[in-house]
Amino acid sequence: MSLIERAMHGERRISYYHYNPSLAVAIVAAVLYTIAFLLTAIQWVRYRAWVWSVMVLSAAMEAIGYIGRCVSVKNPLQRDVYVLQFALVILAPVLMAACCYIIFSRILFLVVPKEQRTFRLCWVPPRWITPIFVGFDIIALLLQLGGAVMISTVEVTDKDARKNLNTGKHVAQIGVIIQLVAFGLFAVAAVRFNFTSKRFTRSLDERYENVGEKEYRIGGTVKHKNWPALLRVVNFSTILILVRSVYRLVEFTEGTTGYLSTHEWALYIFDALFIYPCVALFIYWHPGRYLPYLGFRLPKGAHDNSNSGILMR
């Protein structure tokens, strides 16, 4: 059977889980993600990295999602809590993908001189990296949200239960496929930039004022020179989100009776465990340590890549 059927007070009631969920593991996940969320929020305020609010929101969604899962495990017949935790855990990594797009774009504007920001350099028009990929991300998010809600709210006793499940599955699949295609293209461009960016390292010493061996002064603020470390974290997070997206695509394709949907360990390995570093690593390698401007929009001077042009606001 795809759902656990229980008899309570002579009335048939149905759990929304396809297995016996573990409360202990849910608590561990909730605690870890709550700690990560709090530290992410503290760093967000410390560095005044307002564009990083997307990651703060993502971490909050993961924390609330697993806290909600703890509540849902104790009340497996309550639909609203189940839908909430399911939707939040599904959607949070989509927003994390948007964070990777944004930070990669800001690294590119920091490192690459204006005249060399070409399509050939990263296979995407540099000024349009964030708008293009975030646009695809929004579409993927909305589709996955719609599909997740449709799947998680279906009652097996409904007349059109199978039809609604299939519709929700297909909507979610399309959303994940769009995310995989867009994020896959971005992953190739971002990993490739690890190698093509090396030739700009020396020119950074000429364009920005050196403060000792490890820092630059950019627009009156001091930033760490080791921006390749931040780029590596972006690339690693990209790979983890890609693997997680493949897992979700297979899960949606199999349907509610498939192996991944009926075995809880897959959720915690391929989602909770794979996504956690995407939050935790950025707490130490925070963009605010390396990037001179993390407002929602780059100031005009940032496009010139000059020492006096990039300001912290």
Side-chain angles (χ1 to χ4, degrees), residues 42-51 286 294-295 312-313:
I42 290 170
Q43 293 289 66
W44 172 59
V45 174
R46 174 188 175 188
Y47 289 108
R48 294 174 26 177
W50 309 130
V51 75
H286 195 280
L294 286 171
M312 280 291 293
R313 296 184 182 179

Side-chain angles (χ1 to χ4, degrees), residues 42-313:
I42 290 170
Q43 293 289 66
W44 172 59
V45 174
R46 174 188 175 188
Y47 289 108
R48 294 174 26 177
W50 309 130
V51 75
W52 206 236
S53 58
V54 180
M55 181 60 82
V56 177
L57 176 60
S58 301
M61 289 171 67
E62 291 282 4
I64 296 171
Y66 285 106
I67 291 172
R69 187 174 180 86
C70 294
V71 176
S72 181
V73 168
K74 295 290 289 182
N75 301 275
L77 309 179
Q78 190 172 342
R79 183 170 70 174
D80 293 343
V81 179
Y82 175 79
V83 172
L84 175 67
Q85 61 87 25
F86 184 76
L88 290 176
V89 171
I90 286 285
L91 298 177
V94 183
L95 294 180
M96 291 178 196
C99 294
C100 291
Y101 302 145
I102 294 168
I103 296 307
F104 177 73
S105 177
R106 299 298 171 91
I107 291 174
L108 191 148
F109 274 100
L110 171 72
V111 174
V112 183
K114 181 181 179 181
E115 63 276 7
Q116 297 189 54
R117 295 181 201 141
T118 62
F119 180 87
R120 183 178 179 182
L121 176 68
C122 58
W123 299 346
V124 181
R127 291 192 65 173
W128 294 98
I129 289 174
T130 300
I132 289 174
F133 286 113
V134 170
F136 280 114
D137 222 34
I138 292 172
I139 295 172
L141 185 147
L142 293 175
L143 288 171
Q144 289 181 60
L145 174 61
V149 170
M150 292 179 71
I151 291 171
S152 58
T153 56
V154 169
E155 298 274 8
V156 295
T157 54
D158 290 346
K159 180 180 179 180
D160 297 324
R162 183 172 297 278
K163 177 182 176 182
N164 292 336
L165 276 173
N166 286 332
T167 301
K169 180 183 77 172
H170 295 322
V171 171
Q173 278 179 314
I174 294 171
V176 176
I177 290 171
I178 290 174
Q179 183 186 2
L180 272 172
V181 171
F183 208 53
L185 292 174
F186 169 76
V188 172
V191 172
R192 179 175 175 271
F193 188 68
N194 273 284
F195 304 97
T196 58
S197 63
K198 292 180 180 179
R199 66 177 184 265
F200 303 115
T201 303
R202 182 174 297 179
S203 67
L204 283 171
D205 292 331
E206 300 171 356
R207 286 182 279 124
Y208 303 123
E209 178 187 350
N210 286 278
V211 182
E213 296 182 357
K214 297 183 177 180
E215 296 174 321
Y216 294 119
R217 188 182 304 279
I218 307 174
T221 62
V222 176
K223 296 297 172 184
H224 203 287
K225 285 184 177 182
N226 193 21
W227 58 267
L230 178 62
L231 180 60
R232 286 192 291 270
V233 173
V234 170
N235 289 329
F236 184 57
S237 299
T238 299
I239 293 170
L240 292 177
I241 295 172
L242 271 175
V243 174
R244 179 266 179 191
S245 298
V246 171
Y247 152 67
R248 285 298 184 181
L249 179 60
V250 174
E251 180 191 36
F252 289 139
T253 301
E254 288 183 340
T256 55
T257 58
Y259 181 88
L260 295 180
S261 294
T262 54
H263 291 80
E264 188 178 28
W265 70 264
L267 165 70
Y268 286 110
I269 295 297
F270 293 114
D271 203 314
L273 185 61
F274 269 60
I275 292 302
Y276 190 75
C278 301
V279 182
L281 291 178
F282 282 113
I283 294 170
Y284 181 79
W285 287 281
H286 195 280
R289 295 183 63 195
Y290 309 93
L291 303 180
Y293 182 77
L294 286 171
F296 288 101
R297 296 182 63 183
L298 281 168
K300 280 189 176 181
H303 298 289
D304 298 331
N305 209 205
S306 62
N307 190 17
S308 60
I310 304 180
L311 302 175
M312 280 291 293
R313 296 184 182 179

